[in-house]
Amino acid sequence: MGAAGSSALARLGLPAPPGPRWLGVAALGLAAVALGAVTWRRARPGRRRRLQQVGTVSELWIYPVKSCKGVSVDAAECTALGLRRGHLRDRFWLVIKEDGHMVTGRQEPRLVLVSITSEDDRLILRAPGVDQLVLPTKLHSSNKLHDCRVFGLDIQGRDCGDEAAQWFTNFLKTDAFRLVQFEKNMKGRAANEIFPSLDQNYQVAYPDCSPVMILSEASLADLNTRVEKKVKINNFRPNIVVTGCNAFEEDTWDELLIGNVEMKKILACPRCIMTTVDPDTGVVDRKEPLETLKSYRLCDPSEKSIYKSSPLFGIYYSVEKIGSLRVGDPVYQMILTIYSDFSI
């Protein structure tokens, strides 16, 4: 047998028997087939995510107290529970009635007039006609724990004290209210309780449905061509505003990469009467822009069990990989491709 034939068989761990020259040629052929078989057996499908830029972050918003004014930031951490900037955490504070039931702008529209700033380890709350409220972000462990109800689900909150309770009571002038804070060691509302029909695994504090909501500038611009009175991004309270895409293109985005944060689409955001509260006056219209949205943004009939008659505007996301993001970051759609690896 020739040296090449002996070498090929040796690589397969086979002895090289002596024999005529034609046997050496046959052995080389068998070796080639065997090597091909090894390569083929080890071929396996692989998965690769291709990045496609779909837009750019133009605004980031944190809403510390549910239904109160948002805080515009140029950069933020994105935690499993939503955006964070220093002591500002998204929807970590909640106004409740004394029986623990949540109070939002749906019941008390003037909540949208309460502005929030952060100074050191304190939040400063301001509202028309009342003195400012200075609120420590670290509460004493002796403060009462409340059992609260948010959209019919149980969640705890630590009482922020009598001064905060009196401040909201004096400002709203309709009932007795208290303010509670969510703490990171508390159990959030689970996704499978919020959406029993969806296979999701995340928790939220006091947001309606998810840790992050995304809306595009183009979708807002499209809506404003259809309504008599222009509406603002604040009517819809997104966390991330995206520019550089077409109207409602965000409906098609599944998995996103922004900064080093990975997010996964949960579902579209069903809109309610909260969108009709004027963020500058605290007056509720009860009609627009909700009626216009209903004229062209209702769900597919197959999804009516989820959305019912609510129009869809913006997309809810869960956080799959925590990290940081900032205004100006590209927004990438992560597109999964499947390939075969035929290497040994």
Side-chain angles (χ1 to χ4, degrees):
M1 177 181 293
S6 299
S7 175
L9 291 175
R11 286 199 299 271
L12 291 172
L14 299 174
R21 187 174 183 82
W22 67 268
L23 285 176
V25 175
L28 278 173
L30 287 170
V33 171
L35 283 168
V38 171
T39 302
W40 181 256
R41 280 198 303 272
R42 293 191 59 176
R44 59 193 184 276
R47 292 168 177 255
R48 182 181 290 128
R49 289 185 296 183
R50 177 170 60 87
L51 298 182
Q52 176 183 333
Q53 185 171 353
V54 291
T56 303
V57 176
S58 60
E59 300 176 39
L60 292 172
W61 289 89
I62 297 174
Y63 306 87
V65 183
K66 189 172 182 67
S67 286
C68 295
K69 284 185 183 295
V71 180
S72 177
V73 296
D74 59 3
E77 297 174 58
C78 190
T79 75
L81 291 170
L83 298 192
R84 173 181 184 170
R85 178 70 181 263
H87 293 290
L88 295 174
R89 301 291 301 261
D90 191 64
R91 289 144 172 129
F92 258 47
W93 286 264
L94 175 72
V95 178
I96 60 170
K97 293 186 176 182
E98 293 195 326
D99 63 3
H101 281 81
M102 72 172 185
V103 177
T104 74
R106 300 166 182 85
Q107 301 86 29
E108 296 290 341
R110 293 180 72 244
L111 278 174
V112 303
L113 302 179
V114 177
S115 66
I116 299 130
T117 55
S118 177
E119 295 180 11
D120 300 321
D121 58 351
R122 301 170 299 164
L123 298 186
I124 313 298
L125 278 65
R126 297 179 175 89
V130 292
D131 293 334
Q132 70 179 26
L133 171 68
V134 178
L135 193 67
T137 56
K138 179 67 174 175
L139 299 177
H140 199 280
S141 59
S142 63
N143 285 31
K144 179 181 177 180
L145 279 179
H146 289 273
D147 293 320
C148 308
R149 296 284 284 178
V150 175
F151 293 109
L153 297 177
D154 294 329
I155 187 170
Q156 287 188 314
R158 191 172 297 282
D159 194 277
C160 292
D162 290 340
E163 184 182 357
Q166 194 61 51
W167 190 88
F168 275 98
T169 299
N170 290 346
F171 172 61
L172 295 173
K173 295 184 173 67
T174 56
D175 206 336
F177 301 102
R178 302 204 71 85
L179 183 69
V180 296
Q181 179 182 346
F182 184 82
E183 296 175 342
K184 59 184 179 181
N185 61 322
M186 294 177 177
K187 184 179 183 296
R189 291 152 51 236
N192 60 7
E193 295 177 320
I194 300 171
F195 302 116
S197 62
L198 301 182
D199 183 21
Q200 299 287 342
N201 182 29
Y202 64 86
Q203 291 187 1
V204 291
Y206 305 135
D208 284 9
C209 298
S210 78
V212 175
M213 201 268 281
I214 295 179
L215 183 63
S216 74
E217 289 182 354
S219 297
L220 179 65
D222 180 275
L223 172 61
N224 275 329
T225 65
R226 304 167 188 263
V227 292
E228 184 176 336
K229 181 183 177 183
K230 299 287 188 284
V231 289
K232 301 179 178 180
I233 205 74
N234 313 81
N235 286 75
F236 304 100
R237 307 173 69 82
N239 297 110
I240 301 173
V241 182
V242 178
T243 189
C245 62
N246 294 324
F248 307 111
E249 191 178 333
E250 62 266 37
D251 294 351
T252 67
W253 302 338
D254 186 15
E255 296 185 347
L256 295 180
L257 173 67
I258 308 175
N260 60 350
V261 179
E262 295 182 10
M263 304 179 190
K264 186 176 181 180
K265 178 181 177 179
I266 302 168
L267 78 176
C269 178
R271 293 301 180 169
C272 68
I273 197 172
M274 184 74 186
T275 61
T276 73
V277 178
D278 188 318
D280 295 325
T281 65
V283 175
V284 59
D285 178 271
R286 297 192 177 275
K287 290 185 178 181
E288 292 297 350
L290 198 58
E291 292 302 316
T292 297
L293 283 172
K294 285 181 178 179
S295 72
Y296 76 116
R297 288 293 296 170
L298 294 178
C299 69
D300 184 273
S302 65
E303 297 177 312
K304 245 191 162 171
S305 61
I306 300 173
Y307 300 114
K308 300 181 174 57
S309 60
S310 298
L312 310 179
F313 201 68
I315 304 293
Y316 285 132
Y317 282 85
S318 61
V319 179
E320 301 298 300
K321 179 185 174 187
I322 64 173
S324 58
L325 64 169
R326 61 188 311 111
V327 170
D329 275 346
V331 178
Y332 294 105
Q333 185 176 11
M334 298 189 292
I335 301 171
L336 184 66
T337 58
I338 299 176
Y339 64 95
S340 293
D341 179 5
F342 290 102
S343 60
I344 296 179

